[in-house]
Amino acid sequence: MAEIIVIASGKGGSGKSSFTAGVGRALANLGKKVLAIDCDIGLRSLDLLFGVTENVVFDWGDLICERCDLEQALIKAEIDLLAAPRNYSDDFTPEKTATLFNSLSKYYDYILLDSPAGIDRGFQLAASGASSAVIITTPDNICVRSCSRAFDELRRLGIEDTRLVINMFEVKPVCKKKLLNIDQCIDETGIQLLGIIPRDIAVGYSSVTGETPGEFSPSTLAYKRIAKRITGQRVPLVCE
């Protein structure tokens, strides 16, 4: 049965979708069977990051509404993908999404739920089927504060196994006290650290081209370390 992980953050722009794609690929490279589910209804982006937009015909909303079957909705590749619906529906309830996501767990080792920003309805739908969570923050006060609020909401929803990833980390601004340092991010959120991803311009390019960052790019190396930590391996938090 899969470990179902919701990828969350309190605000937009923290890099949840890039993290989902990058760590999903890294888990697949470790021999794991991975499904990514885009839960950002109306603003979906995983199909762009995976370069499969032209293959999207149905989405997980069509599965819930019984307009298609799993084989029609599932985009199969190195990492399987279920796209997000274009619009909300009254049929999308936490009970139904949890049932759908859990029904897929027998086919995978990991299911990554790419949550929308904020902690409203979309966040609750994504979290409904999760057994654990990764919260993505950038090292600034606004994002860290919003992530702390998302952490509280996840605990309210019954998800206790939550880890923190600091994304877009840069040493120079931290030394100049323009950004928070690692300890400050941990202290302000109260979340155990899973990993640190350095700022990498290649991640921005991948969102436009659908191509993955290079094998030895800073972000790729960080995703590999985080994937190993997710699977229980003991590796350093940061790239050397």
Side-chain angles (χ1 to χ4, degrees):
M1 300 293 284
E3 180 178 356
I4 305 178
I5 307 172
V6 60
I7 314 302
S9 181
K11 66 180 289 291
S14 62
K16 294 183 302 298
S17 297
S18 296
F19 176 87
T20 302
V23 169
R25 291 187 180 107
L27 287 168
N29 288 335
L30 291 175
K32 305 301 181 181
K33 183 68 173 174
V34 182
L35 169 65
I37 302 180
D38 196 335
C39 296
D40 197 354
I41 298 171
L43 296 173
R44 63 192 190 191
S45 59
L46 283 183
D47 57 301
L48 293 170
L49 291 175
F50 288 128
V52 296
T53 300
E54 294 182 356
N55 297 337
V56 178
V57 178
F58 296 103
D59 52 59
W60 57 259
D62 293 312
L63 285 174
I64 287 177
C65 296
E66 298 182 349
R67 290 190 288 260
C68 69
D69 58 32
L70 180 60
E71 289 297 315
Q72 292 173 301
L74 197 63
I75 299 173
K76 294 185 177 181
E78 179 184 18
I79 304 166
D80 291 351
L81 171 67
L82 280 177
R86 295 182 181 275
N87 300 290
Y88 279 94
S89 167
D90 291 338
D91 290 316
F92 303 162
T93 65
E95 294 77 18
K96 288 183 178 180
T97 52
T99 298
L100 173 62
F101 299 159
N102 281 284
S103 71
L104 300 171
S105 66
K106 60 186 175 182
Y107 304 113
Y108 297 95
D109 298 306
Y110 292 93
I111 296 177
L112 306 179
L113 307 175
D114 184 18
S115 170
I119 55 173
D120 55 10
R121 182 182 177 188
F123 171 89
Q124 293 171 2
L125 289 176
S128 64
S131 55
S132 60
V134 172
I135 292 183
I136 312 296
T137 190
T138 51
D140 62 89
N141 281 308
I142 294 175
C143 194
V144 165
R145 178 181 293 180
S146 67
C147 285
S148 179
R149 182 68 183 87
F151 179 45
D152 290 340
E153 184 65 13
L154 286 168
R155 287 191 296 182
R156 188 188 71 79
L157 295 171
I159 300 175
E160 298 291 341
D161 183 5
T162 302
R163 298 292 183 267
L164 179 71
V165 167
I166 304 173
N167 195 22
M168 306 182 200
F169 189 79
E170 295 181 271
V171 173
K172 287 184 179 180
V174 170
C175 292
K176 294 179 180 179
K177 298 185 178 180
K178 293 182 178 180
L179 293 174
L180 301 178
N181 62 38
I182 295 170
D183 288 337
Q184 288 172 317
C185 291
I186 296 171
D187 291 343
E188 290 295 325
T189 60
I191 310 172
Q192 183 178 342
L193 187 64
L194 175 64
I196 302 166
I197 303 169
R199 183 176 291 277
D200 185 356
I201 194 171
V203 174
Y205 292 153
S206 70
S207 66
V208 176
T209 64
E211 299 177 358
T212 62
E215 181 181 357
F216 299 105
S217 72
S219 60
T220 298
L221 294 174
Y223 294 144
K224 288 179 179 178
R225 289 177 182 269
I226 291 171
K228 289 179 180 179
R229 290 175 66 85
I230 288 174
T231 61
Q233 298 184 45
R234 297 178 63 89
V235 296
L237 283 166
V238 297
C239 297
E240 298 175 354

